[in-house]
Amino acid sequence: MFQQYRSRNIKLDVRLPLPSNRKREKKSAPTAYAASPPTILESFMEEKILGEIVILFILSIVVVLICHRFRLPSIVGFLLTGVLCGPSALGLVQNKEIVDIMAEVGVAFLMFTIGMELSGKELVRMKKPLLVGGTAQVMLTIALGFLLTFWWSSVRLGIIYGCLVTLSSTAIVLSLLQQKAQAEAPHGRVCLAVLIFQDLAIVPMVLVFPLLAGGMELETEAMLLALAKGMTVIACILLFGKFILPHLMFSVVKTRSRELMLMTTLGLCLAVALITSWVGLSLSLGAFLAGLMLAESEYSLNTLESIMPFKEVFSSIFFMSVGMLLDVHFFASHIPMVLLCAAGIIIIKILTAVPAVLMIGYSMRTALISAFCLAQVGEFSFVLAKSALGLELITNDAYQIFLAASIATMVLTPMLINGSPAAASAILKKTKAGGT
């Protein structure tokens, strides 16, 4: 009886008339389906990111071809492409954040390939150039920059400019040495060791700038904790490469899938770089450690072959991103000051790199060639300079002059490296003639 009553109620409920707003619901339903969210591709096109990247690539082809006509290196062409696309020139690229991200990936891939071409045993053999030579170059450059700046300014600015000038460009130096097949030469090994040490020296520099601004107090425990975190992460990465990575790579190779090998390589490179970035170290150092891990694998040649095309493309984007930083109007109105600062930076770096290389037992010729190779300002100096500007440690004019002078040293680097053997021979010949 109860079941029948309940079923009748259901039947009656079903036959009840619908609410009066039924027509309104029917009309509004199609509009709800029409307002579907845009796809990823539509958003990509709406932001004009793809179009700007295409413009960047096409313009780089034209500029690099013109540079080759005048026998200028490709790196100079990419830097000039960035200048032309930048906001102070033609303004063709507005989404510079995307270009900066791709540029960081390019530096990471470059350091990954450098690590792939080394091994842990070879790095241990480089411990003297890395620790002694790297420490001497960094400390001498900071000291000389401090003395010159302190002479006409303050102690705080002396430390700041000393830190900014001491760093060299990992991407430019190693790219040029690889192109000239000089990465295995004595000066190539010295440059690699010094550049790796400079990447490690970035961490205390980042901590020093807020201290100089008075924004935080010097805490020994915090600095030791940061150092311990960095060393722990590096040790964990190396242990992963020794005990887990071989089994992972064997499983990947066993599938005989080139796509899986490529994805594994890219994933390892970027994952390790990201982990080191989280603990305050640079992306390039993490990518270098990832390359060292895979260098110990018996499948390193297959891995290196798959990553090379990506390294070339993203490294080129890095040089374009550097060119975009230049303010053309400021440079045009301060050419004498910019060129004077660029010449001063090059001289300071050569004068400090030569004794640093001599301290580790290399010849005077190798020391001079290495010094010419390291005579430019590094890409991370731009990050430090921007941090100093944000902390009001330097003025905007000082920032722009340093930026323009740094880019000028980068543009001159191919000429300095190409002319370094002849310059070293001339200096040695003149020194011997003066001694007799």
Side-chain angles (χ1 to χ4, degrees), residues 185-188 190 357-358 362-371 424 428:
H187 62 273
V190 170
V357 179
L358 291 175
Y362 284 91
S363 65
M364 185 65 178
R365 179 179 176 82
T366 301
L368 287 169
I369 296 176
S370 302
L428 291 173

Side-chain angles (χ1 to χ4, degrees), residues 16 20 69 71 151 171 223 231 239 248 290 319 392 406 409 411:
L16 286 174
S20 59
R69 294 276 296 187
R71 296 183 178 179
W151 180 64
M223 296 185 69
M231 298 304 295
L239 288 174
L248 173 64
F319 298 122
E392 298 182 353
S406 302
T409 62
V411 172

Side-chain angles (χ1 to χ4, degrees), residues 51 71 92 272:
R71 296 183 178 179
L92 299 177
V272 176

